[in-house]
Every structure is written in structure tokens, then in C-alpha cells.
Amino acid sequence: MPAMSSDRVRYDRATAHLDAPWRWSTWAFDANAADLVRRARGKPVRVATKSVRCRALLDRVLARD
């Protein structure tokens, strides 16, 4: 199992009091978004706003390069 990043460790500590799956959702969302951008290799990525109904997550992904 790969070592966790320091950001992930801090995030885990900061959200330890929250019930799953919420505490993992933004970490997984960010990891998936980063992987999608990597695989797109510079091509534009269209956000499926119909599938993501959380305004905070939409704002978070649209703030990415």
C-alpha cells in the first residue's frame, strides 16, 4: 500500500469526527479529477453537471486548471 501524502493525513485528522462516506468524498473527488485531467492530456474536459448536484463540488472542480 502506498504511503499517504501529508495532505491526506492532515485531511484524515481534520475530518475524523465526521461519518463516512462524506469525509472521503472530497478526497476521492479531487483524486478522480486530477486523474481525469492527466488522462485528457491538455484536451478540455466537460463537467457532467447533471451527475454532480453539489454546488461546492462543482465549484471545486471548475477551479482546477
Side-chain angles (χ1 to χ4, degrees):
M1 179 176 212
M4 288 194 286
S5 71
S6 62
D7 287 341
R8 168 76 188 274
V9 171
R10 278 191 347 221
Y11 188 72
D12 285 349
R13 286 182 187 147
T15 60
H17 66 285
L18 300 173
D19 291 333
W22 186 89
R23 72 183 252 191
W24 297 106
S25 66
T26 53
W27 177 83
F29 186 84
D30 289 342
N32 287 339
D35 188 52
L36 186 70
V37 169
R38 180 190 59 78
R39 289 182 288 133
R41 296 184 194 149
K43 293 180 185 169
V45 176
R46 185 172 155 194
V47 178
T49 58
K50 245 179 142 176
S51 298
V52 180
R53 296 292 186 155
C54 175
R55 183 69 165 169
L57 287 178
L58 288 173
D59 289 342
R60 189 179 188 104
V61 77
L62 291 172
R64 298 179 74 82
D65 290 339

